[in-house]
Amino acid sequence: MRSPFGSRGQDRGPGTDSAPGPARRRALVRSLLALACGALPALAFPAPGLWWWAYVALVPWLLLVRTAPGARRAGLDGWLGGVGFVLAVHHWLLPSLHVFLLPLAALLGLLWLPWGWLVRSLLGGAPSPPRAAVALLAVPSGWLLIELVRSWEGLGGPWGLLGASQWEVPAALRLASIGGVWLVSLLVVAVNTAVALLVASPGLRTVGVAGLAACALVAGAAAWGVGAPHESGTVRVALVQPGVFGGPDGAERRFDRAEELTRSLAGQRVDLVVWGESSVGADLVGRPDLAARLTALARAVDAPVLVNVDARRADRPGIFKSAVLVGPAGLTGERYDKMRLVPFGEYVPARAVLGWVTSVGKAAGEDRRRGTEPVVMTLPAGGSDRSDAVRGLRIGPLVCFESAFPDMSRRLVRDGAGLVVVQSATSTFQESWAPAQHASLAALRAAETGRPVVHATLTGISAAYGPDGHRVGPVLGTDASAVAVRELPLSVSTTGYVRWGDWPLYGALVVVGAVCAAEGAGAFRRPGSAPRGPRARTARGSAGRRGR
């Protein structure tokens, strides 16, 4: 009986008719292992939040793929591991997508299929030290390209980027200020690759140790060599979180509670009040009574109120989600319409084909409309007690899902935003890992841009972060109906990420392209994989291999 890890052309002797059965069982066990290995990194993200786990979570998957008996099996191990990763990181979507999450995971998992080929090509068999050294660059670069492709809004957006699991690690935040979350992902996967080399073969331990030392040097240089953004004043921001209100009159009661919480801020000298996503259920142009109530609130607390309207616009067709700024003198005219929508949650891709998902889940019954451009708003002039840093402060609003996209906050800062504001609502996923994961993304956006970021939600988790990515004050949890005031440092420093953008992605493209070209030229051919001789005919006339 031949081993499932042997060659295809191995002859089978007498009495091996039962071999396919055990081989299939071993293949099934291997497939289940691939699914499980792919799911392991999910533990590094909130709510478990085992950030250190990210640095070894990929090792079992890498070791499994490198032992694949052929390229087809390596691709299958990559795909199944990708399916496990998507299911584990997005499991909280089950209440909304139901069974549709399975085909979605199967589709996204295909992104890891070529990564499986890459891992086996560089780590399979007994790789030479030069090939192992190349793997330290190419395997993380391949992973980074997967993150790039699945960051496209239509594929679900950049949720679960491996680097995002490091949102509480100071060295990782400094790395993010240089190359965004992409550079952090690159380092995390490089550490996993180095550990896999240490485990895979005693002869590669020198390369593995050198890889770990290089990663430590990079992280240390970022931690001690890249300073925190220079502070240039402070701003006091109030986060209003009304809590969960269900039933047909839930929207009205939620508005009333947010209004009550906002009034409690009178006399506390706040510079901006932020309400969460969908905090207002009617267009303020068509509802002057609601606009008047919000204007009275802004006057009472002597600060503008940034609300979020989820309604049909009075001046154009369709439903928009819009950040609207209301000052003590009324509507300021500053408005931002959400540009990047949540697939299935706010629109159904190819609704003519996939519209049936609305009958089995909580997919959007009607597509929201998209905004056309980012907007940077200027806070209206306040009283004489406002500091010079706050007078004329410009804010860049993002709505919910958009805080996952590094390029959006970077664009706002390049357009002049001194404060990034995220308005969110995750009440559908209240008891899941989603609220904690979503709130943690603001830390990365703050570190990347060198600007404070506030994450205000309807039902938790609401949080605020300084320009270095560190959280300021405690969070408002999912069980809270409260308001919190946070005094945030301001900064005008320009980070490397704001200046240079997504350069790690371009580097990854170059590395993977060079490796593919070298592989095509045979530079990384595995031992024993040299071209075989021509087929010979056996005595029975069947095709066989020479020298077998």
Side-chain angles (χ1 to χ4, degrees), residues 23-276:
R24 280 194 293 268
R25 285 194 293 272
R26 285 191 288 270
L28 176 60
V29 169
R30 186 183 181 96
S31 296
L32 294 175
L33 280 174
L35 280 167
C37 289
L40 291 177
L43 297 175
F45 296 94
L50 305 177
W51 64 266
W52 52 268
W53 175 246
Y55 293 93
V56 293
L58 297 179
V59 173
W61 192 3
L62 289 168
L63 295 177
L64 180 71
V65 174
R66 73 175 291 272
T67 63
R72 180 181 299 178
R73 182 69 237 191
L76 181 60
D77 290 342
W79 173 57
L80 291 173
V83 172
F85 179 86
V86 173
L87 288 175
V89 173
H90 297 84
H91 71 275
W92 45 271
L93 286 173
L94 275 170
S96 294
L97 296 183
H98 290 273
V99 296
F100 193 72
L101 183 59
L102 295 176
L104 185 63
L107 173 65
L108 291 176
L110 291 172
L111 295 174
W112 279 269
L113 191 151
W115 187 72
W117 293 337
L118 179 68
V119 170
R120 180 181 179 274
S121 174
L122 295 174
L123 297 180
S128 64
R131 186 151 59 101
V134 171
L136 287 172
L137 285 176
V139 171
S141 296
W143 182 278
L144 203 60
L145 295 187
I146 295 170
E147 293 195 337
L148 169 63
V149 174
R150 71 184 185 89
S151 293
W152 178 48
E153 173 196 345
L155 290 180
W159 193 279
L161 302 183
L162 203 55
S165 66
Q166 305 303 296
W167 65 281
E168 291 181 290
V169 181
L173 294 174
R174 298 277 57 78
L175 277 174
S177 72
I178 302 170
V181 68
W182 314 112
L183 186 57
V184 185
S185 286
L186 201 67
L187 182 77
V188 170
V189 183
V191 171
N192 277 272
T193 307
V195 174
L197 288 172
L198 287 174
V199 176
S201 172
L204 298 176
R205 285 176 181 167
T206 301
V207 179
V209 170
L212 290 176
C215 291
L217 182 63
V218 170
W224 286 285
V226 179
H230 178 70
E231 295 183 13
S232 59
T234 60
V235 60
R236 288 174 58 83
V237 182
L239 311 179
V240 177
Q241 182 177 298
V244 178
F245 290 90
D249 61 342
E252 289 78 7
R253 291 190 293 128
R254 184 170 60 237
F255 187 100
D256 292 342
R257 176 58 177 162
E259 186 177 30
E260 176 186 3
L261 291 170
T262 303
R263 285 195 181 280
S264 70
L265 295 168
Q268 296 192 38
R269 200 190 63 76
V270 295
D271 300 309
L272 174 66
V273 180
V274 183
W275 288 19

Side-chain angles (χ1 to χ4, degrees), residues 234-236 271 379 386-394 490:
T234 60
V235 60
R236 288 174 58 83
D271 300 309
L379 297 186
R386 296 289 193 271
S387 67
D388 291 339
V390 172
R391 289 196 189 96
L393 179 66
R394 305 184 72 194
L490 293 171

Side-chain angles (χ1 to χ4, degrees), residues 255 259 280-284 287-296 326:
F255 187 100
E259 186 177 30
V280 178
D283 187 73
L284 294 178
R287 287 289 303 273
D289 57 321
L290 294 181
R293 289 170 66 179
L294 291 169
T295 300
V326 183

Side-chain angles (χ1 to χ4, degrees), residues 278 280 283 308-323 335-338 341 367-372:
S278 304
V280 178
D283 187 73
N308 189 273
V309 177
D310 184 1
R312 297 185 185 279
R313 290 190 59 164
D315 57 345
R316 64 183 66 176
I319 302 175
F320 290 80
K321 284 192 175 181
S322 307
R335 178 182 188 126
Y336 165 67
D337 297 323
K338 186 177 184 182
L341 304 178
D367 292 349
R368 292 323 194 246
R369 301 296 181 91
R370 301 174 188 272
T372 57

